[in-house]
Amino acid sequence: DIQMTQSPSSLSASVGDRVTITCRASQSISSYLNWYQQKPGKAPKLLIYAASSLQSGVPSRFSGSGSGTDFTLTISSLQPEDFATYYCQQSYSTPSGTFGPGTKVDIK
Amino acid sequence: EVQLVESGGGLVKPGRSLRLSCTASGFTFGDYAMSWFRQAPGKGLEWVGFIRSKAYGGTTEYAASVKGRFTISRDDSKSIAYLQMNSLKTEDTAVYYCTRLMVYAIRGGRLDYWGQGTLVTVSS
């Protein structure tokens, strides 16, 4: 099974900050990597698919990069509505693509 | 507008059964695979299982933790996916989400729409 790790597990940031979250796969997954945002009490929301493609309707301050085993999600200028938990998910082994443990972004 | 609405959650005793429904709207339901995920309180996201579209046989796959106890089915005429959960255990307590799975041609995919989730609590 492919294992996913994320770092950091949590971070504190201010509005306007540039935020970077890292995701690593236990084996190469090419670009089969998605990113989701989840707010408390809500369902996850797809942000980025295929490592770097922005899902329709998602603000352009979100971007993704990477391939193989190492990936990043970047928020170029953090907004108040971005405080949430972010999950990466490998889709190499769709339909059972495993999620990372999440990175919680909260207010500094 | 694509919408997925789960229903059927609640409190159930260990060993009993429960059926969740996922009612879809805003897209041609029969054209898509559907997946179920769950999230235990304060925990991460766990894949439960999925069902292919009829064009790909309508077959199912399950996580090892639920295989033999859970069954996914679909009624394309009603745009509903079901998750039948039997022999429930306390460790099945979670919010259950249905998702639309956009499968790519060769491999991979993305979960582009999610329901709001329904809480299943297994406790005596």
Side-chain angles (χ1 to χ4, degrees):
Chain A
D1 290 2
I2 300 172
Q3 307 300 318
M4 306 299 292
T5 58
Q6 288 182 235
S7 61
S9 57
S10 65
L11 65 90
S12 297
S14 301
V15 172
D17 284 352
R18 182 182 182 87
V19 169
T20 299
I21 298 168
T22 297
C23 175
R24 177 165 287 175
S26 60
Q27 67 181 70
S28 177
I29 56 171
S30 185
S31 295
Y32 296 106
L33 192 284
N34 304 319
W35 289 97
Y36 300 83
Q37 175 195 67
Q38 187 178 33
K39 296 181 180 180
K42 301 293 187 182
K45 172 188 171 184
L46 177 65
L47 299 176
I48 301 285
Y49 63 93
S52 60
S53 295
L54 193 67
Q55 173 69 357
S56 175
V58 174
S60 59
R61 63 181 179 272
F62 291 93
S63 64
S65 65
S67 67
T69 60
D70 295 317
F71 303 87
T72 59
L73 173 70
T74 300
I75 309 172
S76 61
S77 177
L78 197 67
Q79 297 302 300
E81 60 269 29
D82 300 337
F83 292 98
T85 298
Y86 293 85
Y87 293 94
C88 62
Q89 182 222 8
Q90 61 85 6
S91 72
Y92 185 86
S93 54
T94 290
S96 57
T98 44
F99 282 80
T103 295
K104 185 177 181 181
V105 177
D106 60 22
I107 301 172
K108 194 173 199 177
Chain B
E1 178 192 8
V2 171
Q3 283 197 314
L4 299 171
V5 179
E6 298 97 338
S7 58
L11 174 63
V12 61
K13 289 179 167 45
R16 305 297 290 268
S17 299
L18 204 61
R19 188 178 80 159
L20 306 183
S21 299
C22 170
T23 302
S25 60
F27 66 102
T28 305
F29 179 75
D31 287 350
Y32 289 86
M34 299 296 293
S35 287
W36 287 89
F37 281 78
R38 66 184 181 183
Q39 188 170 36
K43 301 296 185 182
L45 293 152
E46 179 189 15
W47 176 68
V48 173
F50 103 125
I51 186 166
R52 294 178 176 83
S53 65
K54 289 284 170 49
Y56 290 88
T59 52
T60 54
E61 294 184 27
Y62 301 94
S65 58
V66 307
K67 195 171 186 178
R69 299 188 299 124
F70 289 13
T71 302
I72 298 172
S73 60
R74 63 190 300 154
D75 185 337
D76 291 350
S77 68
K78 296 181 179 178
S79 298
I80 300 177
Y82 299 100
L83 177 63
Q84 176 69 42
M85 302 183 294
N86 298 333
S87 304
L88 281 161
K89 306 175 180 180
T90 55
E91 53 263 40
D92 294 321
T93 294
V95 174
Y96 284 74
Y97 296 101
C98 72
T99 72
R100 190 177 84 168
L101 174 60
M102 175 80 74
V103 180
Y104 305 149
I106 297 177
R107 77 182 311 148
R110 61 186 185 262
L111 304 162
D112 59 354
Y113 290 95
W114 295 63
Q116 84 286 357
T118 187
L119 176 62
V120 172
T121 303
V122 184
S123 174
S124 55

